[in-house]
Amino acid sequence: MLPDYIHITFFWLLGVIFVGAAFAVSWFIRPKAPSAVKCAPYECGEIVQGDSRVQFNIRFYLFALIFVIFDVEILFTIPWAVDFQQMGMTAYLEMVVFMLILAVGLAYAWKKGALEWQ
Amino acid sequence: MNFPVQELLKLAAKGGFVLGFVAVSAMFLIWLERKVSAWIQNRKGPMMTGPQGAFQSVADTVKLLLKENIVPSGADFFIWWLAPFFVAIPAVMAFVCMPFGPHHIVYDLNVGILYICSITSVSVLGIFMAGWGSNNKYSLLGGMRSAAQIISYEVPLLLSVLVVVMEAGTVSMQGIVHAQEPGWFILKPNVMVAFLIYLISATAEVNRVPFDIPEAESELVAGYHTEYSGMKFAMFFVAEYTNFFIISATTATLFFGGWLGPWAPSPVWFLLKAYGIVFFLMWVRWTLPRLRMDQMMTFAWKVLTPLALVNVLVTGWFLVRKG
């Protein structure tokens, strides 16, 4: 038997070949005639104003933080979900406590206005 | 050590099949989307190339191959160039454990659905790289919105997958299909709730209407891929439609019994179910209007996530009482 991760590595390689081959083929046959106007960033035909990498709304950052907490939580839950039927009521109640703590966290973020989008 | 030549050849053959499937499926879905939208809007859609415009996507591919590659001035070239890889490669990699039939699977990883969910969420990196690297305000806005949306809907998505994992008692894709032999999971009321949450979040994950704020054509031009042309644009497009197929196929596997079905061979059933869901999502896209950014984020965090949490606990309660 091949080890599990050979399959994943092989498919990663296939993906690289897929995209790389498409790029290579088009590199050989496409026209190359860049000009300053053609390469200007697209702003609906207007002359570009300033730099596009501007300061960003802090909201995005808050959502990312809440996401990290929940994503890690779900990673913890998946092994439990596979086996909790054999472990019975104790395992279930432990997960209820775990989820309640998270729910409190969500409620706190909600009350603090971290989930509002202005 | 004996070098497993035969198994490697088998793997290569499967890989070739998957690449072919990805390309053909994406082209077919693009054609189908145009036909379905035309049908819903009482138009004809592409008609000129082949019967019913069937070769339109082939013609488009050739056209995109011949298009000039325009590097936007001031772009962060390396990031900009790498972004299509980050978007397209996960779409190919997700096929490793896509169960087309009892034996028609590349490899039944024991982390199945977890692998699919995690590998497909890598593409958010590519989307953000495209937005950041392009040096274009529309791209950056689209990339930012897209990242925020994808990570927000990831939470209810995974929580609804969790309900299926609890019912099946396994995360392997084939295991989930086999667990549905007594009856599809969708027939259970708690899984039906999970299914609705999953479908809504999955639609948001692939940036489709009604959640297409990242690419809202009328305000953001094309979102994160505004500055891409030729094959690079094609890669974003292929990845988008492949991800669309992946979420539909995953929905079919998790809730509709995957390849299970009488009379016909199992891959036929699998594709039938997957494309049925594809058609349903297209129907939704061409019927509903687009949501606002704040509505979308509020919906994910204040409605779907609490609902999914409660659903997990209720499912656990009934399963523990039963078992």
Side-chain angles (χ1 to χ4, degrees):
Chain A
M1 280 304 282
L2 295 169
D4 284 10
Y5 288 91
I6 287 284
H7 299 83
I8 297 175
T9 320
F10 179 72
F11 267 70
W12 174 81
L13 205 65
L14 271 185
V16 175
I17 292 168
F18 182 60
V19 185
F23 281 14
V25 170
S26 89
W27 189 79
F28 279 115
I29 58 178
R30 74 189 174 212
K32 297 172 188 74
S35 72
V37 177
K38 206 189 273 177
C39 293
Y42 179 76
E43 283 195 8
C44 302
E46 299 290 320
I47 296 166
V48 181
Q49 297 283 326
D51 192 34
S52 67
R53 284 158 194 139
V54 286
Q55 275 202 331
F56 244 92
N57 196 340
I58 190 75
R59 296 281 153 208
F60 288 106
Y61 191 68
L62 281 179
F63 277 102
L65 272 180
I66 306 173
F67 160 74
V68 168
I69 299 166
F70 271 87
D71 216 32
V72 172
E73 172 244 338
I74 294 160
L75 273 186
F76 281 133
T77 346
I78 282 179
W80 166 83
V82 173
D83 255 349
F84 82 109
Q85 292 192 54
Q86 279 88 51
M87 294 187 290
M89 195 51 94
T90 327
Y92 174 69
L93 289 178
E94 275 173 11
M95 193 43 74
V96 171
V97 172
F98 184 60
M99 292 226 169
L100 276 181
I101 295 171
L102 265 156
V104 169
L106 184 66
Y108 178 72
W110 193 331
K111 189 163 177 295
K112 279 282 178 188
L115 304 182
E116 305 300 328
W117 193 277
Q118 290 113 4
Chain B
M1 194 189 120
N2 204 356
F3 198 68
V5 178
Q6 212 176 354
E7 282 179 46
L8 282 175
L9 281 177
K10 219 168 145 187
L11 180 61
K14 282 173 172 173
F17 173 79
V18 165
L19 276 196
F21 182 81
V22 166
V24 173
S25 167
M27 288 207 268
F28 171 69
L29 284 181
I30 291 165
W31 173 79
L32 190 70
E33 175 106 61
R34 297 175 74 169
K35 275 304 192 187
V36 168
S37 66
W39 178 58
I40 287 174
Q41 296 172 341
N42 207 7
R43 304 182 276 120
K44 277 187 170 165
M47 289 296 280
M48 300 306 274
T49 44
Q52 289 290 315
F55 302 124
Q56 186 64 46
S57 298
V58 181
D60 283 343
T61 313
V62 174
K63 177 199 75 180
L64 285 171
L65 265 174
L66 293 166
K67 280 278 179 190
E68 187 181 345
N69 179 39
I70 296 167
V71 186
S73 59
D76 195 330
F77 181 78
F78 188 59
I79 291 183
W80 177 83
W81 184 81
L82 214 56
F85 283 89
F86 269 74
V87 174
I89 292 172
V92 176
M93 287 175 78
F95 277 89
V96 169
C97 47
M98 198 55 87
F100 284 79
H103 309 293
H104 308 82
I105 183 168
V106 175
Y107 187 75
D108 188 23
L109 286 173
N110 55 5
V111 285
I113 184 65
L114 193 59
Y115 168 77
I116 290 186
C117 287
S118 47
I119 208 77
T120 47
S121 52
V122 170
S123 62
V124 68
L125 277 180
I127 287 172
F128 190 65
M129 282 161 75
W132 183 258
S134 298
N135 189 32
N136 180 315
K137 296 182 184 87
Y138 297 114
S139 297
L140 185 58
L141 263 176
M144 276 299 226
R145 284 179 177 189
S146 195
Q149 174 184 329
I150 290 176
I151 62 172
S152 294
Y153 280 89
E154 192 81 26
V155 172
L157 181 102
L158 286 172
L159 282 172
S160 53
V161 167
L162 200 65
V163 171
V164 174
V165 173
M166 285 158 78
E167 290 279 351
T170 172
V171 275
S172 126
M173 291 297 266
Q174 294 287 34
I176 290 171
V177 175
H178 283 298
Q180 294 180 66
E181 267 160 6
W184 296 355
F185 282 155
I186 186 76
L187 301 173
K188 302 180 180 182
N190 59 330
V191 185
M192 210 180 285
V193 176
F195 165 70
L196 287 177
I197 299 171
Y198 182 88
L199 203 64
I200 294 169
S201 328
T203 319
E205 290 278 296
V206 290
N207 299 331
R208 288 180 66 82
V209 176
F211 304 102
D212 75 331
I213 272 291
E215 324 182 355
E217 294 93 342
S218 41
E219 36 185 296
L220 281 182
V221 190
Y224 54 87
H225 56 58
T226 304
E227 290 294 350
Y228 286 85
S229 54
M231 259 298 127
K232 295 195 174 65
F233 168 74
M235 279 302 136
F236 278 107
F237 225 60
V238 165
E240 195 172 312
Y241 277 90
T242 309
N243 281 329
F244 182 28
F245 175 80
I246 289 169
I247 61 147
S248 307
T250 318
T251 313
T253 310
L254 295 182
F255 302 100
F256 292 93
W259 42 261
L260 291 175
W263 310 306
S266 26
V268 174
W269 275 108
F270 177 76
L271 290 178
L272 213 62
K273 287 170 184 173
Y275 281 114
I277 294 160
V278 162
F279 176 72
F280 175 75
L281 288 178
M282 283 179 178
W283 187 2
V284 168
R285 170 170 181 178
W286 294 101
T287 308
L288 295 181
R290 175 184 298 143
L291 291 176
R292 281 202 321 264
M293 188 72 194
D294 61 325
Q295 291 170 330
M296 224 161 54
M297 301 301 275
T298 312
F299 187 60
W301 286 105
K302 294 187 180 172
V303 181
L304 287 185
T305 306
L307 187 66
L309 273 174
V310 170
N311 193 26
V312 167
L313 292 182
V314 170
T315 308
W317 174 251
F318 281 108
L319 285 176
V320 162
R321 285 297 297 272
K322 197 182 72 186

